[in-house]
Amino acid sequence: RDWSSDVCSSDLRIPVSTPQVRLTQLAEVAEPPRVTVIAERTRRLRSAGILGMLSQEHLERLASENDEQTYAADEQIIRQGEPGTSMFIITSGEVVVGVRPPEKERVQLSRLQVGDYFGEMSLMTGEPRSATVTAMVETRVFEVTRTAFREILEQQPGLLEKLGETIRRRFIEREEAVEGAGNQQLGETSSDILSRIKEFFGL
């Protein structure tokens, strides 16, 4: 007997495998409010040497008009001899500062960490970079540009003399760390540097 004739297609039940798909949405990392970012940048700028002379208003302006950059380990941030018109404040990580005097081996001057700064001579006078700065680990830096700083000097001219003396001291400290390098320029006075600052910024 053909039993197939007794079975109706409607009686057949074919199990269907229904996979359960679970979508897990990763929690988004919320970025801090802009006002919080500006406040933290302002705090760091105040501790960065010559920038500590600025008013709260000017520091906040710098913090809002400039931004941070990230560099990988062993990446050079600035190179000795290259042009530059900005300075940098380290917000995370660590860098090493080195100088190659004429006809001599490279000299390591220092290691800088969070809150330290570099590049101020080029920012204030437009001179080529006097050292090479390399990130030792992944490093974030906050860059202050000449354009942003010029507006501040126009509004706060009393800063110029203080800046001239501060930069001169920093310059001497760096040159004295390199034996026999740059001794001719150590006699440069604060007024000499002040004149170069004024000329560079057109003040």
Side-chain angles (χ1 to χ4, degrees), residues 15-23:
V16 179
S17 175
T18 306
Q20 292 185 345
V21 180
R22 299 179 62 184
L23 298 177

Side-chain angles (χ1 to χ4, degrees), residues 75-157:
E75 185 175 1
Q76 291 183 340
I77 302 175
I78 61 175
R79 296 178 180 85
Q80 182 177 350
E82 290 189 349
T85 56
S86 61
M87 68 175 287
F88 300 85
I89 297 95
I90 303 171
T91 57
S92 70
E94 185 176 7
V95 305
V96 61
V97 181
V99 171
R100 185 186 296 278
E103 301 180 359
K104 292 187 177 182
E105 296 296 323
R106 182 179 298 278
V107 177
Q108 179 176 317
L109 297 183
S110 59
R111 291 188 178 188
L112 305 178
Q113 300 177 330
V114 174
D116 291 329
Y117 63 98
F118 56 90
E120 73 284 354
M121 197 69 175
S122 292
L123 168 68
M124 300 305 299
T125 66
E127 289 190 353
R129 300 298 188 187
S130 59
T132 296
V133 178
T134 306
M136 300 185 65
V137 296
E138 183 175 280
T139 300
R140 288 179 63 83
V141 294
F142 182 84
E143 184 175 13
V144 177
T145 64
R146 172 179 180 264
T147 301
F149 205 73
R150 186 180 192 281
E151 296 178 2
I152 291 174
L153 292 179
E154 287 178 336
Q155 298 176 19
Q156 202 170 340

